[in-house]
Amino acid sequence: MSYKLGDTWSRTFDYDGMLTKGMEAGVDWPIEDLQMLYTSFEDVNYHSEAGYLYGAIQELKTGNTKLAVVDLDKFNSLCAKTLTGFTQPETKFDTDWDDDNIYAPV
């Protein structure tokens, strides 16, 4: 399943697609599209990322494009960081997530 703006959680939700779409979001997007993206992030509990998107939407509604650009840059960067975090373990222990025998009794 590929992500579409406004998608909400399902067993086959495309988290990578949502984050990729988040990296593409810009002030040139219609506010309605940004709001649909925000809905998706909130629905799947990506509140940290969604906070910057929410701020950008509010700034765009009041016509403050300069602050919206700052918020969207932070949002884009956080989406990229989250996406790369899925494929790059932060510690040695993160690489053992699929080792079912790591805590098996001897």
Side-chain angles (χ1 to χ4, degrees):
M1 174 176 202
S2 64
Y3 174 77
K4 293 180 186 67
L5 288 175
D7 280 354
T8 55
W9 184 87
S10 70
R11 288 185 321 123
T12 59
F13 187 83
D14 182 9
Y15 292 92
D16 289 353
M18 178 188 72
L19 289 164
T20 300
K21 187 64 76 176
M23 291 168 32
E24 299 167 0
V27 294
D28 56 332
W29 282 30
I31 289 177
E32 296 79 18
D33 287 355
L34 293 172
Q35 289 176 317
M36 287 192 294
L37 183 61
Y38 174 77
T39 297
S40 296
F41 272 82
E42 281 293 305
D43 192 71
V44 296
N45 297 320
Y46 278 59
H47 304 296
S48 297
E49 295 86 349
Y52 290 113
L53 179 56
Y54 179 81
I57 291 168
Q58 298 313 307
E59 295 300 339
L60 288 171
K61 286 182 177 180
T62 62
N64 195 339
T65 305
K66 287 184 182 183
L67 282 179
V69 167
V70 171
D71 282 338
L72 278 172
D73 283 346
K74 290 178 183 175
F75 172 68
N76 299 144
S77 295
L78 194 50
C79 287
K81 181 179 179 184
T82 302
L83 185 60
T84 58
F86 288 157
T87 59
Q88 298 175 0
E90 293 182 21
T91 68
K92 171 199 173 296
F93 299 104
D94 291 339
T95 62
D96 296 334
W97 66 270
D98 62 347
D99 187 353
D100 292 337
N101 297 319
I102 191 167
Y103 297 109
V106 179

